[in-house]
Amino acid sequence: MLYKTNTLKIYNSLSGEKEIFTPIHSGNVGMYVCGPTVYSNVHLGNVRTFMSFDIIYRYFLHLGYKVRYVRNITDVGHIVDDEDDGEDKIAKKAKLEQLEPMEVVQKYTVDFHEILKLFNLLSPSIEPTATGHIIEQIEIVKKIIEKGFAYEVNGSVYFDVVKFNETHNYGVLSGRNIDDMLANTRDLDGQSDKKNFQDFALWKKAESQHIMRWPSPWSDGFPGWHLECTAMSTKYLGNHFDVHGGGMDLKFPHHECEIAQNEACTGQTPVNYWMHANMLTLNGKKMAKSTGNNILPRELITGENNILSKSFSASVARFFMLQAHYRSILDFSDDAIVAAEKGYNRLLESLKTLKEINTSAISTLDIPKWKNDCYDAMNDDFNTPILIAQLFEGVRFINLLKEESATLNKEDLAVFSKLINSFVFDVLGLEDEKKSESSNLKVEGLVNMLIKMRNEARANKNFAMSDDIRDQLLALGIQLKDGKEGTSF
């Protein structure tokens, strides 16, 4: 049963206002989020963006919706800025690391999944790849050409923004005026096959040095940057779906171009609610590897960095990020995460205390009002900082129960306990570190016992058992490494 679904409001970037969420199909949500371009390690800013949509996904599930959450992997090696002199980031990284492009893709896709697992993000329902949907992208280009909104030049196909704007509104999402864009464009004669600078690539003819290429009716080449999301979102969610999300930096041109492509191809607006998460800064400045003002997730967790005073768990970092609204810029610093760790520990300790309380009398906490306040926070465009403030009202009450300054009957205690645990663990996705550490120690002990059994099997020349232990552990994601100093994992 859905809880107060008619009161959930979402800030829609398309209208610039909070709007009551009304799903296209009752009880169901279709949500698409732009995933990573897998040419480098995922950074904390990426983690924050995907965490924001993880919270949104979790809350839809908590309300009882059936959610199809699609998040893509960009593995195609686009020239991402639509310029003729742009770079294929995957191919560039492949040359630097002396790998095949798809080795780069695999390496950093694995890293992406591992990092998101560390931060306890739920997996999407579908995680399609751009390379797996080349045919769908080519078919969309064909349709756009047929509708008269694209043109082919020297084996490349471009979207005709000026022609599209005659009957549609290019700039509807970002608020940009195409006349102003045209007036402020420098002369590019001789530098491009485009009719206008604003036109963007739907298909690019591959130069001889471009490694990742596919056959098409126009040339051996590769799809434009924006095309994959149009192809994959519509394939799995239909031509018209509920929510499309991504980082604030994707609003223009990526999402603007997606809208144009969809409308040119299908004749209808693709998305009801456009959502954008804001950036994470570090010590008041933009994160950048080039300036050294940067920290990777694993560096935060191991403490191997020159920015923080000590290591911090992924769950503490998650709690820190959720203390700001997803549409707000959040500044990451040592002082801020130290403070967050104290709050996180206080919250988790209070839940342990709650388990030990068994009382029966009259409540001094208005449970129905507290419950409504928690839901009202999340129903107000997923306002996690306000929800956390309400959770600490619950913490304050737990302390009163502990000190016997307040009491609660068993029925209300059960309701309160279920609600606060649900918000902390199911909605916010926080984890009990000590419980996780205990589980990890148990797993480590079991694996070490199996390694001992495998060593005994090898000593007895029972290689079938030895291989079976190794293979079964590998199937569970635990890879044994045999070295001079013994076996490790």
Side-chain angles (χ1 to χ4, degrees):
M1 182 177 179
L2 305 182
Y3 177 86
K4 294 173 68 176
T5 54
N6 63 323
T7 64
L8 172 60
K9 290 186 177 181
I10 295 176
Y11 181 86
N12 191 348
S13 298
L14 197 61
S15 65
E17 297 179 354
K18 291 179 186 176
E19 300 175 3
I20 292 176
F21 177 69
T22 305
I24 296 169
H25 303 290
S26 180
N28 293 269
V29 177
M31 182 170 76
Y32 184 90
V33 173
C34 292
T37 301
V38 281
Y39 69 94
S40 64
N41 296 108
V42 61
H43 58 73
L44 276 179
N46 300 139
V47 171
R48 189 201 177 193
T49 296
F50 296 121
M51 188 183 297
S52 296
F53 291 101
D54 180 65
I55 293 295
I56 292 163
Y57 179 36
R58 285 172 176 273
Y59 191 59
F60 277 134
L61 293 174
H62 177 77
L63 292 179
Y65 284 106
K66 182 179 179 181
V67 185
R68 177 173 287 177
Y69 174 21
V70 183
R71 186 185 67 212
N72 72 300
I73 295 288
T74 296
D75 63 345
V76 86
H78 301 293
I79 295 176
V80 296
D81 58 4
D82 284 326
E83 295 296 325
D84 294 332
D85 60 351
E87 64 181 13
D88 174 345
K89 293 187 176 182
I90 292 173
K92 182 180 179 181
K93 197 59 174 280
K95 289 175 184 176
L96 286 172
E97 298 191 8
Q98 295 185 320
L99 298 170
E100 284 290 325
M102 294 312 290
E103 285 184 277
V104 170
V105 165
Q106 177 68 9
K107 175 181 178 180
Y108 293 112
T109 299
V110 169
D111 174 73
F112 174 69
H113 288 148
E114 288 177 347
I115 293 299
L116 264 54
K117 187 176 181 181
L118 278 174
F119 283 82
N120 198 31
L121 273 71
L122 299 177
S123 298
S125 314
I126 303 172
E127 192 175 51
T129 64
T131 54
H133 296 77
I134 298 295
I135 293 172
E136 289 86 349
Q137 294 176 74
I138 289 172
E139 290 303 310
I140 289 173
V141 176
K142 287 180 182 178
K143 289 179 183 178
I144 296 175
I145 291 173
E146 288 171 8
K147 297 289 181 70
F149 294 114
Y151 55 93
E152 185 263 333
V153 180
N154 297 327
S156 293
V157 181
Y158 297 98
F159 189 93
D160 193 333
V161 170
V162 174
K163 178 71 178 294
F164 175 79
N165 201 58
E166 291 174 1
T167 51
H168 299 74
N169 182 7
Y170 183 79
V172 64
L173 180 65
S174 61
R176 300 187 183 213
N177 184 290
I178 192 169
D179 292 330
D180 293 339
M181 286 190 276
L182 289 169
N184 293 326
T185 299
R186 58 189 173 86
D187 186 8
L188 289 174
D189 288 345
Q191 295 186 34
S192 174
D193 292 328
K194 300 177 185 179
K195 291 181 181 178
N196 300 286
F197 180 68
Q198 286 73 23
D199 296 349
F200 56 89
L202 296 174
W203 186 265
K204 289 286 287 184
K205 180 181 179 180
E207 300 299 329
S208 58
Q209 71 272 17
H210 201 96
I211 302 171
M212 301 179 80
R213 58 173 67 211
W214 293 264
S216 80
W218 314 285
S219 65
D220 275 5
F222 51 94
W225 175 28
H226 317 297
L227 193 60
E228 64 177 280
C229 289
T230 292
M232 289 185 278
S233 63
T234 55
K235 177 170 182 175
Y236 298 109
L237 299 174
N239 292 336
H240 186 205
F241 55 96
D242 297 298
V243 177
H244 192 315
M248 198 75 77
D249 58 320
L250 296 181
K251 185 185 287 187
F252 186 90
H254 187 53
H255 291 161
E256 194 74 73
C257 294
E258 273 194 68
I259 292 174
Q261 288 169 163
N262 274 277
E263 291 186 355
C265 183
T266 67
Q268 59 181 301
T269 300
V271 178
N272 282 355
Y273 305 89
W274 285 90
M275 302 182 70
H276 293 94
N278 219 323
M279 71 173 70
L280 184 71
T281 58
L282 178 60
N283 293 321
K285 298 178 182 177
K286 184 178 178 179
M287 285 193 184
K289 291 181 182 177
S290 58
T291 63
N293 193 53
N294 183 65
I295 182 170
L296 293 174
R298 282 194 178 87
E299 294 172 341
L300 177 146
I301 294 167
T302 62
E304 295 174 1
N305 61 81
N306 299 319
I307 294 172
L308 302 177
S309 58
K310 67 184 195 71
S311 63
F312 294 90
S313 72
S315 205
V316 166
R318 183 181 178 105
F319 181 72
F320 161 75
M321 292 183 189
L322 297 179
Q323 288 181 305
H325 191 268
Y326 76 90
R327 286 191 289 113
S328 302
I329 293 175
L330 174 62
D331 188 52
F332 187 89
S333 68
D334 187 64
D335 288 345
I337 196 167
V338 166
E341 185 176 51
K342 292 176 181 176
Y344 165 85
N345 289 334
R346 184 179 164 216
L347 178 61
L348 271 291
E349 283 299 322
S350 71
L351 296 185
K352 292 174 186 174
T353 299
L354 183 60
K355 289 180 181 178
E356 300 166 1
I357 292 172
N358 184 17
T359 183
S360 58
I362 299 172
S363 171
T364 58
L365 177 70
D366 187 339
I367 301 296
K369 182 181 183 304
W370 178 81
K371 172 183 176 180
N372 285 338
D373 288 344
C374 288
Y375 277 105
D376 286 346
M378 288 301 290
N379 285 341
D380 184 19
D381 193 31
F382 310 96
N383 201 322
T384 54
I386 301 299
L387 172 62
I388 288 171
Q390 293 301 328
L391 294 179
F392 276 104
E393 281 296 306
V395 169
R396 185 182 62 83
F397 180 66
I398 291 169
N399 290 335
L400 291 175
L401 290 173
K402 181 181 178 182
E403 297 164 3
E404 299 184 352
S405 300
T407 51
L408 194 65
N409 64 56
K410 288 184 179 179
E411 290 77 15
D412 283 346
L413 178 65
V415 170
F416 173 69
S417 179
K418 182 179 179 181
L419 276 170
I420 195 167
N421 277 279
S422 182
F423 279 118
V424 170
F425 298 118
D426 298 336
V427 176
L428 294 184
L430 299 175
E431 292 184 293
D432 187 335
E433 287 175 8
K434 291 182 180 177
K435 187 182 290 185
S436 297
E437 287 172 8
S438 175
S439 298
N440 289 339
L441 286 172
K442 289 177 182 177
V443 169
E444 187 176 337
L446 286 170
V447 174
N448 283 329
M449 181 181 73
L450 289 168
I451 288 173
K452 184 179 179 182
M453 290 172 61
R454 179 171 175 262
N455 288 338
E456 290 174 356
R458 293 170 78 184
N460 295 327
K461 297 186 178 180
N462 188 348
F463 299 115
M465 176 180 281
S466 169
D467 291 346
D468 189 43
I469 292 172
R470 179 200 62 202
D471 294 343
Q472 289 199 43
L473 285 173
L474 184 61
L476 295 170
I478 300 169
Q479 184 174 11
L480 298 184
K481 300 173 184 176
D482 296 318
K484 294 180 179 178
E485 298 178 359
T487 303
S488 61
F489 65 96

